[in-house]
Amino acid sequence: MTTVHEPHVTTTASADALSVWPASATEPRPGDLTVGGVPLAEVAEHFGTPVYVLDEAEVRERCRTYRHAFPDAEVLYAAKAFLCRAMIHWVDEEGLGLDVCSAGELELAVTSGFPPERMVLHGNAKTPHDLELALRLGVGRIVIDSPSEIARLAAAVGPEGHQKVMVRVVPGIGAGGHQKIRTGTEDQKFGVSVSDGYAQHAIARILDQPQLELTGLHCHLGSQITSVKPYLTAVRRMVGLMARLHEQHGLVLPELDLGGGHGIAYRPGERRLDLTALACRVHAELTQACAAAGLSVPRLMIEPGRAVVGPAGIALYRVLTVKHTGDHTFVAVDGGMSDNPRPALYGVRYAPRLVGREGSADLARVTVVGRHCEAGDIVAADIDLPADLRPGDLLAVPVAGAYHLSMASGYNLVGRPPVVAVHVGRARLLVRRESLDDIRSRDVGL
Ligand SMILES: *Cc1c(COP(=O)(O)O)cnc(C)c1O
């Protein structure tokens, strides 16, 4: 008989429980969780709640992981996941490009010093203002999403002008964590389809516009994809289209953009996309498919958003009430669907934990809810938290860096939370809390 030695665990948080937290997360004393060298309870005390905390080193390290995994590719951070001026600087300093989809994202980046030539503009319905600003600021590439955009863009560029463009192709692949975030299939609003010939038709029209230089094809399959396979299928279909374009038009496209959508774990034990495997297998598939088609290998571009910033963020809430009704215990916090609409939108599940004090060892099954006027305002349903949880306690929700603040709303006029960066033991305010004065100042009529 062999003896199995259990690893010695000194605190209530095992390594596994911290697996979805930033690498800097430590628990020097039970319940006393520290990120970026700063105790989360101190952040809450100093900046108030709800508050988003962002670990700068974690963001930078994730940018570097991409650069190392894809040394020959252009990695563009998808701004819509989360954007502020500090984030723009970090992404720039780490050598990533930027994927934007509005005049607002574009202008914030350019006025923060981000080089416009390293930016790509997306959007299924770009406004005249989006296009005018992109051209004026000199954005690197504009991704054409529909045939009607071609003549509009060509006219805006003018006969003497020049603009690099890509075209967003629908490869006909169903992948992604939820129906609402699948964008590679035929029945959704983005891109032009290969199967019905729209993509080929649109490309022929782009080639007729001398001021538009088509540099490559783009596709984005969806979000929260945890398997490499859909990306390999996308590579084969895109190279197939490139081969047909080469035959028909003698066209050689130097770039191929595979979009983002790389899945992350929101709760311990959940699957995430293996970036090293993705890089190796996409590279192999692309090389092989191009060789078989007699094409030179285009430069790869990728656009991760969530996987760069999601796991670097934490949302901190204060517990306001604990209510027992029938079989349920509801723990209500001072935020909710206005600072995180994702559970209501896609049924996403989070794993909040108590921070700032050691909770009782016995656990109770509770549902953590927000403060908003809807029954669907749920932060986390049916999770186990210390049974002695009470008003005044702090709850921390890991993996809150992506699609939280960027999707936050003005619901119930509670004001959007601030963003605080933590780094080597220091906490600094990046984005201040939205105040009633902010809300009042926009309200100019009577
Ligand atoms: C949203 C989006 C991304 C990023 O998606 P993630 O799931 O955050 O990686 C990349 N490219 C395009 C075109 C997008 O719309």
Side-chain angles (χ1 to χ4, degrees), residues 78 80-81 99 101 122 168 183 190 218-220 222-224 259-262 303-307 402-403:
K80 72 172 192 271
D99 143 7
C101 36
H122 283 286
R168 177 157 177 174
T183 55
F190 295 101
H218 173 279
C219 68
H220 173 68
S223 205
Q224 201 43 7
H262 310 159
E303 304 171 333
R306 187 191 306 276
Y403 304 108

Side-chain angles (χ1 to χ4, degrees), residues 59-126:
V59 172
R60 289 184 181 274
E61 190 51 39
R62 286 176 174 271
C63 292
R64 284 172 207 165
T65 301
Y66 269 104
R67 298 267 296 158
H68 289 150
F70 295 87
D72 303 320
E74 194 166 336
V75 183
L76 301 128
Y77 168 65
K80 72 172 192 271
F82 169 78
L83 203 67
C84 70
R85 289 191 297 166
M87 186 72 193
I88 291 164
H89 285 295
W90 301 341
V91 166
D92 185 16
E93 283 167 9
E94 298 305 332
L96 271 58
L98 204 60
D99 143 7
V100 296
C101 36
S102 71
E105 292 173 356
L106 177 63
E107 187 158 346
L108 187 72
V110 173
T111 55
S112 303
F114 201 92
E117 63 276 10
R118 275 171 37 214
M119 292 166 57
V120 171
L121 176 71
H122 283 286
N124 72 302
K126 301 178 194 76

Side-chain angles (χ1 to χ4, degrees), residues 146-228:
S146 69
S148 64
E149 218 181 317
I150 299 165
R152 254 176 79 204
L153 180 59
V157 171
E160 306 302 320
H162 174 258
Q163 177 63 49
K164 286 185 178 172
V165 299
M166 304 186 82
V167 63
R168 177 157 177 174
V169 170
V170 181
I173 298 168
H178 188 279
Q179 179 68 40
K180 290 178 189 168
I181 51 173
R182 285 182 195 156
T183 55
T185 55
E186 310 289 340
D187 53 354
Q188 51 79 48
K189 68 177 184 174
F190 295 101
V192 284
S193 171
V194 184
S195 63
D196 59 12
Y198 267 96
Q200 293 89 317
H201 184 67
I203 288 163
R205 284 178 57 190
I206 295 169
L207 296 177
D208 280 341
Q209 307 286 345
Q211 64 269 55
L212 302 184
E213 177 190 347
L214 182 66
T215 65
L217 306 180
H218 173 279
C219 68
H220 173 68
L221 304 180
S223 205
Q224 201 43 7
I225 298 167
T226 52
S227 148
V228 170

